[in-house]
Every structure is written in structure tokens, then in C-alpha cells.
């Protein structure tokens, strides 16, 4: 950890508190409803990396959300799950979840505590059910011990499983990038990064608002419709025409690790992404107001913006042992 | 069939007597003026075909007893899962000493609970009453079979839910009680369900939307009050 005052600190009775820099807003997750506890986070970690959650015990959360990819799916446009079935979307990176009001590219999930039900029961992801998962966990002596320790409950329940998974994922807080060091007066941007930062604030900050680098709202960013998927984004859930083609705005933190980009992973490089905003905007009725005329950037400006975006990489987060693959005993 | 109902009532009376002043809200299924059982074949004149129902499961919430339009008693829990595949769930005990002239309840889960509740007890997703692919409880489920419909295995499946505007499917019902009775018997009249217009061409509804809202409005009409004699 770089900043002393940011170090996660443990409170009494094994309770836990996530920490974050002063310039971060207050988290919106309701911690009162699911108070963080070390023992519960430990169960969440065990479950997150355990393929026991899938029907044939082949796929874990980490299969598509690898810590080394900022919890996205390494180098896959569309993610694949059980029996190598390919899904419809690119697995999003997982970080700073306590600041997000909805989850999934289309915002289908409005509470983190219920999110895990989606991949567990999706036929192309884990192909299981929460009943099966709870049954399997109740058969496992190791898990029963862990749940007993954390919840003082001799029977594993679905609500405990969901809470544990949510708690572990809430500890995925990224705030140790070069950008953060600069904000805290501990480092300086290069002239190129400064210029990139200025361009970013002028052109990108409306949706990818610092310091989280997203408003976590939904926008249509002018991607042409991939007719092999016909993914309408938020419309799929809300059935409101003004939500058509709108997707959740992703954070720009840890971009170097979480490629490829966009809900369908269509862009492999940041250069491609910027080219899209400069000359690839596809007009449609729900196109974001900000993007009506695209973004005007010269080649040099694009290079500078990318230099700035790379300062959002957080190696401490990517290689944080507390949230990475558990050590094999 | 009547015998079974009889036993259910006797059993609930026995249970309630054990607790002293306890009463029960009892749910019954009826079709063609007879009690109805899951898994058995019946003939529907409306559909002009035989049919069977395998699942009837719903949430009833915010149950209260009313006197002169004022709430005089609230049931102990906010939500109850009623599941006719599980006999235990057709009777909800309550303890009330005041007189009342109506019962008010909602079918489904309100938006606050959808977003904030502890997902345990009757709200445990294990009961298959929570959508996994999006947030939200399924307010009610009816599944069955009818040979003349063209779906796979001739199944009809209605999973009705949705709490967000404009597709809120929570329905509140108030029914007058003519006499002040010990137990409250609520009957689900399946005849009413089968004549619902929305069912004519749609045999699968499994997500929030217009159809779910329409069907939820029809569903509230199937509740009937039978005052215990």
C-alpha cells in the first residue's frame, strides 16, 4: 500500500471497513444491511474462486473475472462459461462496486447482494441454481465450518452465500494508481500526461467522471449495432424506447488489464476506442447528447489522452494478495 | 376433495385452539364450484380443453384487518409465500381480538422490499420466486399443462412480477367480511383466472412488461372471500 491513511483497518469483533481516498465520494452500498466481517469476506473469497458454484464444478467467478484482468475476462470479446458456451457480453471489470447503483451492462441487477444469482443460474455461465449451490455447500465440511465461524449457523443458507460473495467483492477497491498519487500530492504527471488529463476533462469526464471515472449512468455511446447479437442494452430490461442501445458507463480505471473494450468487447486497443469517438460515432435516436458531433482530437491529442489513461492503472490493486487467487494448501 | 378441505380446516382449527386465541387466514383453490387440486385434470369450457395446474405460488404482503376503513390489525410478517405444492403454506396464523369488517392485502412484493429486503425466510431465492437475470421478485407463478396449446410439452407458464414504473405488478385487494368470523377463508377462483382475456394467445410470460401488468390486474379478481359458517 502506498498511502498510510488508506490502509484497510480492522475494527473490533472482526468487523471490517473498506477505506478509500478523501477525494472519493461516499459509497452508496448500504453496509448496515450487510456489515463487513473478516470471516464473511473470507467465505466470499473462497466461493469466488471455487468452481463449486457451477453445475459441473468447472467454472468459478474468477473464470470470467480474473484478478489479473481487473476482474474482467482476459482477452475475450464475449465471455464463455460452462461447457465452453459463449455468452452475449464481455465480462465487465469488477472494482469500486460499493459506489455503483446497478450492475451488469444493462443495469438488470440493482442490488449487489442478489447479483451472484445471475451468473450462478445463467445456462451459459454457471448453469446451476442457488438451491444446488446451497446443497453442495452444506455437504462440504470445510464450508460448513467456515459458515459456522462467520454466521454461527450450522446450515448454509442462500442469503449467507449471497452476502459473502457481495462482501468479498466490496473489498475490490482500486485507488492506488499514479493518478491517485498525483491527486494526493505524492507524484507528478509528465507534461504529456498533463495535456492528456486536460483533454480528458474537456472531452471524457462528462460520462467517465473522476475520481471513479464513471457516473455509472447509462448512455448510448454511438456503437453500431452488431447484428449477430442485436443487443439493445438497458432497453432489454426497462422496455423503454429511450433506453435503447444504452449501456452502463464503465470506469476507465485499470484499462490496460481489462481489454477488450465495450459491452461486446469489439475494440482491442485504446487507440481503436478513441478512433471510435473521433470518427466512428453511429447516429441513432438515443445517442448521448455529448457525442452528437463526436469528439474532435488530433493524432497527438489521442496519444496524450492514452498517456493519461495509463496513469489509471493500479498495480497494487491487480496484484493485491488479499483479493487474488487463494493460496493452495 | 371436500374431505381434504375438511381435514385442512379441522387441522387449522386444532392448531389455532392450541395457541388460544389464534386465528388463521386459510387459502383454498376452487374450480367449477368444487375444490381444486394441483396435478389433476379438469375440463375448461373457456379453453374447450382439459388442463391441469402443477404450480400455484404467490406472495401475499401487507395483510391487515380493517374496521371502518381503518387498519386495526397488521399480520406479524410483512410477506408470506403461499405455495399450494406445500400444504403447510395454505394457512397463515394470526392473533387478533378486535372486530373487523374487511381484509386488505397485496399480491406481490412492494418496491421497497424488492430493493432492500433481507433475502431470507419466505424471501429466500431458493423458492424460485426471485428472478436471477434481473433484480426483482416474482409476485406469482402459475404453471400447468393444456394439450391444445402449441408450446413445448403444451405447458403454460406465467411468472408475473415487476416493481418498477411503468410495469409495477403489485396489486392491492380489499374484501369486505360480512360477519365477524374466527378464521378468514380466501378462495382462489380458478374459473376467473381461465377466462382472463390475456390468456387467449399468450402461454408464456416470464418477465416484467405490459402483459405482466395486465395479467396481474386480472389475477386480483380471482380472490374471493368465504366467511366461515
Amino acid at each position: 500500500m502506498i498511502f498510510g491513511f488508506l490502509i484497510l483497518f480492522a475494527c473490533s469483533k472482526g468487523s471490517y471497513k473498506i477505506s478509500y481516498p478523501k477525494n472519493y465520494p461516499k459509497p452508496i452500498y448500504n453496509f448496515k444491511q450487510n456489515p463487513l466481517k473478516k470471516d464473511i469476506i473470507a467465505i466470499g473469497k473462497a466461493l469466488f474462486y471455487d468452481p463449486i458454484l457451477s453445475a459441473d464444478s468447472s467454472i468459478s467467478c474468477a473464470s470470467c473475472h480474473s484478478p489479473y484482468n481487473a476482474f474482467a475476462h482476459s482477452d475475450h470479446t464475449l465471455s464463455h462459461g460452462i461447457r465452453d458456451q459463449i455468452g452475449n457480453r464481455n465480462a465487465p471489470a469488477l472494482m469500486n462496486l460499493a459506489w455503483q447503483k446497478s450492475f451488469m451492462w444493462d443495469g438488470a441487477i440493482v442490488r449487489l447482494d442478489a447479483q451472484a444469482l445471475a451468473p450462478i443460474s445463467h445456462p451459459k455461465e454457471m448453469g446451476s441454481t442457488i438451491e444446488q449451490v446451497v446443497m453442495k455447500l452444506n455437504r462440504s465440511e470445510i464450508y460448513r465450518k467456515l459458515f459456522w465461524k462467520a454466521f454461527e449457523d450450522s446450515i448454509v443458507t442462500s442469503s449467507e452465500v449471497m452476502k459473502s460473495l457481495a462482501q468479498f467483492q466490496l473489498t475490490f477497491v482500486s485507488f492506488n494508481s499514479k493518478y491517485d498519487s498525483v491527486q494526493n500530492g505524492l507524484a507528478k504527471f509528465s507534461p504529456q500526461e498533463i495535456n492528456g488529463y486536460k483533454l480528458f476533462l474537456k472531452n471524457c469526464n462528462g460520462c467517465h467522471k473522476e475520481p471513479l471515472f464513471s457516473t455509472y449512468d447509462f448512455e448510448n455511446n454511438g456503437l453500431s449495432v452488431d447484428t449477430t447479437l442485436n443487443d439493445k442494452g438497458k432497453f432489454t430490461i426497462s422496455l423503454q424506447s429511450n433506453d435503447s442501445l444504452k449501456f452502463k458507463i464503465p470506469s476507465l480505471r485499470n484499462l490496460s488489464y481489462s481489454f477488450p473494450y465495450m459491452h461486446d468487447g469489439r475494440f482491442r486497443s485504446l487507440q481503436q476506442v478513441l478512433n471510435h469517438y473521433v470518427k466512428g460515432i453511429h447516429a441513432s435516436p438515443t445517442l448521448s447528447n455529448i457525442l452528437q458531433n463526436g469528439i474532435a482530437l488530433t493524432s497527438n491529442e489521442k496519444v496524450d489522452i492514452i498517456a493519461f489513461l495509463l496513469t489509471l492503472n493500479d498495480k497494487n490493486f491487480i496484484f493485491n494478495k488479499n483479493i487474488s487467487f487463494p493460496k493452495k494448501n | 376433495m371436500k374431505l381434504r378441505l375438511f381435514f385442512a380446516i379441522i387441522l387449522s382449527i386444532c392448531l389455532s385452539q392450541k395457541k388460544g386465541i389464534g386465528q388463521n387466514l386459510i387459502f383454498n383453490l376452487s374450480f367449477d364450484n368444487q375444490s381444486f387440486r394441483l396435478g389433476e385434470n379438469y375440463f375448461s369450457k373457456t379453453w374447450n380443453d382439459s388442463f391441469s395446474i402443477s404450480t400455484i405460488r404467490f406472495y401475499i404482503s401487507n395483510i391487515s384487518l380493517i374496521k371502518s376503513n381503518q387498519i386495526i390489525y397488521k399480520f406479524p410478517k410483512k410477506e408470506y409465500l403461499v405455495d399450494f405444492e406445500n400444504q403447510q403454506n395454505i394457512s397463515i396464523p394470526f392473533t387478533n381480538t378486535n372486530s373487523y369488517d374487511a381484509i386488505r392485502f397485496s399480491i406481490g412484493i412492494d418496491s421497497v422490499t424488492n430493493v432492500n429486503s433481507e433475502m431470507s425466510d419466505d424471501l429466500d431465492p431458493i423458492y424460485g420466486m426471485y428472478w436471477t437475470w434481473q433484480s426483482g421478485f416474482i409476485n406469482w407463478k402459475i404453471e400447468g399443462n393444456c394439450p391444445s396449446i402449441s408450446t413445448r410439452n403444451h405447458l403454460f407458464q406465467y411468472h408475473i412480477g415487476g416493481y418498477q414504473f411503468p410495469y409495477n405488478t403489485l396489486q392491492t385487494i380489499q374484501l369486505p367480511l360480512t360477519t365477524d368470523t374466527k378464521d378468514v377463508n380466501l378462495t382462489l377462483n380458478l374459473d376467473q383466472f381461465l377466462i382472463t382475456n390475456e390468456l387467449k394467445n399468450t402461454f408464456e410470460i416470464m418477465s416484467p412488461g405490459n402483459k405482466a401488468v395486465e395479467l396481474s390486474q386480472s389475477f386480483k379478481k380471482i380472490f374471493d372471500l368465504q366467511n366461515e359458517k
Side-chain angles (χ1 to χ4, degrees), chain B residues 40-95:
Chain B
E40 289 190 3
N41 275 308
Y42 294 86
F43 186 84
S44 161
K45 285 174 203 150
T46 318
W47 290 16
N48 195 25
D49 201 353
S50 65
F51 75 99
S52 70
I53 292 180
S54 56
T55 306
I56 299 180
R57 201 181 298 158
F58 61 92
Y59 281 111
I60 185 163
S61 61
N62 296 310
I63 315 171
S64 51
L65 299 175
I66 306 288
K67 175 86 183 174
S68 311
N69 237 356
Q70 300 284 315
I71 294 175
I72 54 117
Y73 176 79
K74 279 185 177 175
F75 273 51
K77 288 201 302 176
K78 196 176 168 204
E79 297 93 6
Y80 297 87
L81 180 64
V82 178
D83 183 357
F84 283 94
E85 280 171 275
N86 182 350
Q87 289 296 313
Q88 285 171 342
N89 282 344
I90 61 165
S91 154
I92 299 174
F94 64 98
T95 319

Side-chain angles (χ1 to χ4, degrees), chain A residues 276-279 281 290-296:
Chain A
H276 162 73
Y277 286 117
V278 173
K279 58 183 185 195
I281 297 288
I290 300 173
L291 295 174
Q292 292 297 329
N293 300 311
I295 297 176

Side-chain angles (χ1 to χ4, degrees), chain A residues 24-228:
Chain A
Y24 271 33
K26 268 186 88 174
I28 58 170
Y29 184 80
N30 183 1
F31 287 100
K32 277 185 197 145
Q33 206 159 51
N34 185 17
L36 298 190
K37 232 179 114 182
K38 279 186 194 168
D39 290 340
I40 300 178
I41 294 169
I43 295 178
K45 181 173 181 178
L47 291 171
F48 189 88
Y49 289 102
D50 194 338
I52 195 169
L53 297 186
S54 62
D56 60 2
S57 294
S58 63
I59 302 284
S60 75
C61 303
S63 302
C64 295
H65 297 285
S66 156
Y68 303 126
N69 302 98
F71 296 99
H73 202 168
S74 167
D75 204 11
H76 280 85
T77 53
L78 303 174
S79 298
H80 60 84
I82 195 165
R83 292 180 284 275
D84 287 338
Q85 295 179 95
I86 294 173
N88 299 330
R89 294 199 180 126
N90 177 266
L94 306 179
M95 59 193 152
N96 302 339
L97 299 174
W99 285 266
Q100 302 181 30
K101 46 192 174 249
S102 63
F103 304 91
M104 320 302 259
W105 281 106
D106 52 18
I109 311 288
V110 299
R111 49 191 301 191
L112 189 59
D113 303 0
Q115 191 281 335
L117 291 170
I120 286 172
S121 40
H122 195 294
K124 288 181 173 179
E125 294 181 40
M126 289 169 158
S128 185
T129 62
I130 187 69
E131 288 158 274
Q132 268 185 50
V133 168
V134 167
M135 201 171 70
K136 278 164 139 183
L137 294 174
N138 272 313
R139 272 195 226 129
S140 152
E141 207 176 306
I142 296 167
Y143 274 111
R144 285 182 65 160
K145 273 185 189 161
L146 287 174
F147 277 85
W148 171 254
K149 203 176 149 202
F151 295 99
E152 293 175 0
D153 189 351
S154 57
I155 297 168
V156 178
T157 69
S158 60
S159 143
E160 290 160 3
V161 170
M162 311 303 294
K163 282 182 172 174
S164 308
L165 281 164
Q167 290 211 5
F168 175 55
Q169 293 173 82
L170 285 164
T171 68
F172 299 177
V173 189
S174 175
F175 53 72
N176 279 326
S177 65
K178 180 175 180 182
Y179 162 85
D180 298 299
S181 302
V182 173
Q183 295 299 310
N184 291 294
L186 298 166
K188 276 189 172 153
F189 281 140
S190 72
Q192 189 185 30
E193 289 163 353
I194 290 176
N195 194 41
Y197 185 33
K198 283 180 188 158
L199 289 162
F200 168 84
L201 289 175
K202 186 175 162 227
N203 296 295
C204 320
N205 194 50
C207 292
H208 297 287
K209 196 171 167 234
E210 62 174 349
L212 295 165
F213 292 91
S214 176
T215 58
Y216 297 118
D217 287 331
F218 294 80
E219 285 289 357
N220 170 354
N221 68 341
L223 296 171
S224 59
V225 175
D226 179 337
T227 51
T228 65

